[in-house]
């Protein structure tokens, strides 16, 4: 599945970025092989609109603000902030997703996989695994993962 990852507002991550690796571990294929990142780990989309000529279906925005202390106003604000730089992209309303960057890496990969391969990776199952992790390793802190969003889509913000 062709995808790119963004970890900074208005930027896309390079093939060598740790953030891109999350998408690749989730079963995605880095879609910008021909783009010259000039030994940088990311580039600003506004300065490189040619990125939109590449064939990719997903932008996964890894965001630390999407964590355990979330409220819907902040989630909506984050959505508007992080996705707006990509509003010129043909799949801007269907292919952009926020994924929490404040959770354990295996969970980031699992949530990204639920986006890239929804036929194989069930979001509810990922949430169940996340709840197990919280219950077993968060030292008695009680959180209800079912009341939180660790993946956000345009549909969720509608």
């Amino acid at each position: 599945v062709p995808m790119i990852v963004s970890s900074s507002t208005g930027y896309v991550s390079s093939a060598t970025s740790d953030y891109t690796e999350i998408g690749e571990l989730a079963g995605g294929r880095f879609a910008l092989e021909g783009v010259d990142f000039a030994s940088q780990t990311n580039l600003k989309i506004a300065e490189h609109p040619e990125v939109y000529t590449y064939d990719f279906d997903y932008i996964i925005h890894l965001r630390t603000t999407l964590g355990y202390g979330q409220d819907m106003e902040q989630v909506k604000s984050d959505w508007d902030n992080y996705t707006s730089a990509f509003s010129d992209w043909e799949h801007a309303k269907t292919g952009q997703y926020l994924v929490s960057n404040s959770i354990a890496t295996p969970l980031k990969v699992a949530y990204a996989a639920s986006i890239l391969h929804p036929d194989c990776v069930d979001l509810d199952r990922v949430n169940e695994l996340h709840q197990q992790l919280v219950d077993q390793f968060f030292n008695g802190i009680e959180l209800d993962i079912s009341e939180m969003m660790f993946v956000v889509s345009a549909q969720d913000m509608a």
Side-chain angles (χ1 to χ4, degrees), residues 6-125:
S6 172
S7 62
S8 299
T9 306
Y11 286 79
V12 295
S13 297
S14 72
T16 60
S17 166
D18 294 347
Y19 297 103
T20 295
E21 188 173 15
I22 298 293
E24 291 175 333
L25 289 169
R29 178 182 54 77
F30 178 66
L32 302 180
E33 286 296 335
V35 175
D36 181 10
F37 281 79
S39 73
Q40 300 295 313
T41 58
N42 61 21
L43 58 80
K44 190 172 187 175
I45 192 70
E47 296 171 3
H48 296 275
E50 72 275 9
V51 165
Y52 292 130
T53 66
Y54 285 75
D55 182 27
F56 59 97
D57 299 322
Y58 299 96
I59 300 174
I60 297 172
H61 300 274
L62 291 172
R63 306 311 308 182
T64 56
T65 57
L66 189 61
Y68 295 104
Q70 55 186 262
D71 69 48
M72 283 312 292
E73 277 187 42
Q74 185 61 49
V75 171
K76 175 70 172 134
S77 175
D78 289 347
W79 174 265
D80 293 343
N81 184 37
Y82 302 133
T83 62
S84 65
F86 300 92
S87 61
D88 291 338
W89 179 46
E90 66 179 317
H91 304 295
K93 296 202 185 309
T94 59
Q96 294 194 80
Y97 292 82
L98 301 185
V99 172
S100 176
N101 202 25
S102 297
I103 57 178
T105 299
L107 289 170
K108 292 178 212 179
V109 172
Y111 281 116
S114 76
I115 295 164
L116 301 174
H117 301 285
D119 54 330
C120 299
V121 181
D122 181 62
L123 181 60
D124 290 335
R125 179 67 179 129

